[in-house]
Every structure is written in C-alpha cells, then in structure tokens.
Amino acid sequence: MFYREAGDFKTSYQSDSQTFPIKFDRYRYYVVLVVAFGIIPFIINDYWANSLLLPFLIYAIAAIGLNILVGYCGQVSLGTGGFMAVGAYAVYKLMTAFPEVSMFIHVILAGGITAAVGVLFGLPSLRIKGFYLAVATLAAQFFLVWLFNRVPWFYNYSASGQINAPEREVFGVIITGANAPAWATYLFCLVFLTLCALIARNLTRGTMGRTWMAIRDMDIAAEIIGVNPLKAKMTAFAVSSFFIGISGALFFALYLGAVEVGEAFGIQKSFLVLFMVIIGGLGSIFGSFAGAAFLVLLPVVLKVVGADMLGWPTDIVAHLQLVIVGALIIVFLIMEPHGLAQLWRVAKEKLRLWPFPH
C-alpha cells in the first residue's frame, strides 16, 4: 500500500521487464539523480567531499566491478588492490605522456588497460577455482605491487618512488591537483559512477549476465547447455577489471593526488572492497552501493561518536571499527548471505503490502 501500485499497468514486455517496473521506484531514482547532480554540487565543501562523497563514489565503482566477478560469475578474487594500482599508474602515464588529451579519455583508457591485465591474470580460472583461484589472484596482487615498486619507468624515475597527479582541466575547470574545487571532482566521479552502474545493470540483466550466473551456479551444467566457459569467465574478468581500473584511476588522480603503491593499493584495499561486496550483498548492484556507503560512513560515525562525543582514544576507535566490520561479515555470512541488498528487498516487499500482513 505504501507504493500505491493501483493503476500502474504494464502494456508491453519491455515495460514489465524494465529495471524499475514500479512507478514509485522510478520516481525515487529520478529524485536521487536530481539531488546528486543538481543540489549537492552547490552545497558541497572540501570536508564532505574528501571524507564521505569521493570515497563513496570511487569505492562504489570498485565494488560494482568486484561484484560482477565474485557475485555474478562466482570467481573469487583477492587482487582488487593490484588492479586499482594498474588503473592508477596507467592514468598517470597517460596524463604525463599526453597532457592535451581529455581526462575522460585517460580514465577510460586506464580502465581498458586494467581490463587487459585482468584477463591475463584471469586465465588460471579456466583450470582452477575456489580457494586456488583466490591464491592466484592474491599472487597477482603482490606481483603488481612489486612491479610498480621495482620498475622506475612506471613512476617516471622519480627519486621518491611516488606518483603525483598533474593539474588537468575538463571544460575549463580544474579537476586534478591541489587547486581543484570540490564540486568539480565530485561531479567527475559521479558521472563515471552513473555510467558504470547503468552499464553493469544492463550487462547483468542481459545475455552476458545470464552466462555469468550459469557459470556461477554450476559451471559443468552451463557448459553442457552451450555456455562457453572461456568467454564467460574472461568477459567477467575484463568487465570487472575495467570498472576497478576506473576506480583506481579516480582514486589516484582526483582523491589522493599522490600515491605510493604499497600504502595506497596494498592487500588491505583488496579486502576492503571485498568486505563492501559481502556486507552489501553478492550479486546485487544496489548491494555494491550499500556496502560502499556503509564502510565509508562507519569510520566517520565512530570518530564522531567515539572520539568526539565520548572522548575515547583514537586507537580504540580504530580497533573498534575492525571489530564491528569482522562481526558484521560473520553475521551476514551466517544469517543473511545476500547482505544489505536482501534486507532492502524484504523491506520493500513489506512496504508494498503495508498495512496488511499478506
């Protein structure tokens, strides 16, 4: 009853199978887009951008990419941090080699380079799976971090070993560097997140998404009915790495500005994105948003409540965050494996019937 579905008729298969078949959901989606594009850029400041909004937008892209691989195709990956590093170093080399080219092109090309690297490290998935595939992707994580540390060409022979994002403009507005306004970096990341979410949503609802899910559910049966496991797994690794590479490029160029690969893209980054997918919900685009929002908001809330209001030491607050995340992962894996996304689905079904019980 909350949704007021009376009179919301479907007269074609296309309207019945659209992403938001309920009119109220579509209106809510449009309102979110209007607020995100039309209101937040006018009220945003540096604190909100750096502490909440930019991390959420960038991690949401990475979580969507990892969710395609783990949640939709069932291929375990622990190399997300390494693939984000590939995107970061790729966009750095492109920015320094071709300064006249638009940042949009640089970020997309960085995603394409990461996709190629992801396919290369995804080849073992044709012969191994489960724990062994997780170890193979973990090896990719350590190898890529080692490579970017040991080969000076990647950081342009800098004495410090760091890479620093040069100042670049889009439509005459600075979006990288110390002088970039908060609203410009926010809108740039928001555009990429919106496009990535739309592409991922359509891919997962189409033929490619069905082949991924067939491989995830039972790869032998999928191969018997005609699904090509080579094509399905390699496309999953490619699309996933493409999104993760874009997130790595944005994380370096627009958020951090300066990066040392071991600190910014270590194994902790891989586990952080994986935790976002687990808590948000495997096999759900909305779950990627929910998991990213939760793990970005959690340290900020704990700092405000624990350190500022209750006066707890900052190290206790930091350790409490790890305890909460670990406990939530255990609870969700046991009680609700589909994460926050499933809780949202259940809540929506209740609201569709409220105030009636069934």
Side-chain angles (χ1 to χ4, degrees):
M1 294 298 293
F2 181 82
Y3 275 82
R4 300 293 188 270
E5 294 183 58
D8 191 4
F9 300 115
K10 310 296 186 300
T11 57
S12 66
Y13 287 113
Q14 183 178 4
S15 61
D16 190 47
S17 61
Q18 59 186 321
T19 301
F20 300 105
I22 302 174
K23 190 179 296 183
F24 182 82
D25 282 341
R26 290 198 298 274
Y27 291 159
R28 185 184 57 207
Y29 171 71
Y30 297 145
V31 168
V32 169
L33 286 181
V34 169
V35 171
F37 280 96
I39 296 178
I40 293 180
F42 295 100
I43 62 175
I44 192 175
N45 56 36
D46 289 335
Y47 172 77
W48 286 102
N50 293 324
S51 63
L52 288 177
L53 295 175
L54 286 185
F56 164 69
L57 297 176
I58 294 168
Y59 282 130
I61 297 175
I64 290 172
L66 185 61
N67 215 338
I68 287 176
L69 185 62
V70 178
Y72 284 97
C73 197
Q75 308 301 301
V76 183
S77 174
L78 296 176
T80 308
F83 295 133
M84 289 181 70
V86 173
Y89 278 80
V91 80
Y92 170 70
K93 296 296 292 185
L94 291 170
M95 290 171 70
T96 53
F98 307 101
E100 70 282 355
V101 178
S102 171
M103 270 298 294
F104 282 104
I105 305 299
H106 285 328
V107 173
I108 293 172
L109 288 177
I113 293 170
T114 312
V117 175
V119 169
L120 179 64
F121 284 105
L123 288 174
S125 67
L126 301 176
R127 301 297 299 271
I128 59 178
K129 57 184 177 180
F131 171 77
Y132 301 100
L133 180 59
V135 173
T137 55
L138 187 63
Q141 162 74 37
F142 291 125
F143 171 77
L144 291 170
V145 171
W146 174 87
L147 182 68
F148 293 131
N149 262 327
R150 294 296 181 179
V151 180
W153 179 82
F154 287 110
Y155 48 84
N156 285 351
Y157 303 95
S158 169
S160 64
Q162 284 189 340
I163 56 175
N164 296 278
E167 196 171 273
R168 293 290 180 267
E169 297 181 354
V170 172
F171 303 122
V173 179
I174 299 173
I175 61 166
T176 62
N179 298 320
W183 64 267
T185 56
Y186 164 78
L187 278 179
F188 192 82
C189 292
L190 181 63
V191 168
F192 272 101
L193 174 60
T194 305
L195 293 176
C196 289
L198 288 174
I199 293 171
R201 180 63 176 168
N202 284 282
L203 284 176
T204 54
R205 297 174 74 238
T207 303
M208 189 175 293
R210 295 180 187 278
T211 60
W212 292 341
M213 288 182 275
I215 292 293
R216 175 196 67 189
D217 294 338
M218 188 172 290
D219 53 352
I220 297 176
E223 189 173 2
I224 290 173
I225 63 174
V227 174
N228 186 343
L230 169 64
K231 180 180 177 182
K233 292 181 179 180
M234 291 302 99
T235 53
F237 269 97
V239 174
S240 171
S241 301
F242 177 76
F243 289 155
I244 293 172
I246 287 177
S247 70
L250 297 176
F251 190 70
F252 154 67
L254 276 77
Y255 181 56
L256 294 181
V259 158
E260 197 282 318
V261 64
E263 295 179 2
F265 301 110
I267 187 63
Q268 297 90 349
K269 193 69 66 182
S270 299
F271 282 115
L272 177 64
V273 180
L274 181 62
F275 294 161
M276 290 177 181
V277 172
I278 292 174
I279 292 175
L282 292 167
S284 168
I285 302 299
F286 172 77
S288 303
F289 284 90
F294 182 84
L295 287 185
V296 168
L297 278 172
L298 180 62
V300 177
V301 172
L302 287 178
K303 179 183 178 299
V304 172
V305 175
D308 298 341
M309 296 177 60
L310 300 179
W312 292 349
T314 54
D315 57 341
I316 297 296
V317 174
H319 292 150
L320 184 62
Q321 175 189 345
L322 298 177
V323 172
I324 292 175
V325 171
L328 285 175
I329 290 172
I330 295 172
V331 169
F332 275 112
L333 288 177
I334 296 174
M335 305 294 294
E336 187 51 83
H338 296 290
L340 294 173
Q342 179 63 20
L343 298 180
W344 176 245
R345 290 190 202 102
V346 172
K348 283 205 304 181
E349 290 301 317
K350 296 292 185 183
L351 289 174
R352 290 179 70 180
L353 297 173
W354 182 84
F356 304 109
H358 54 78

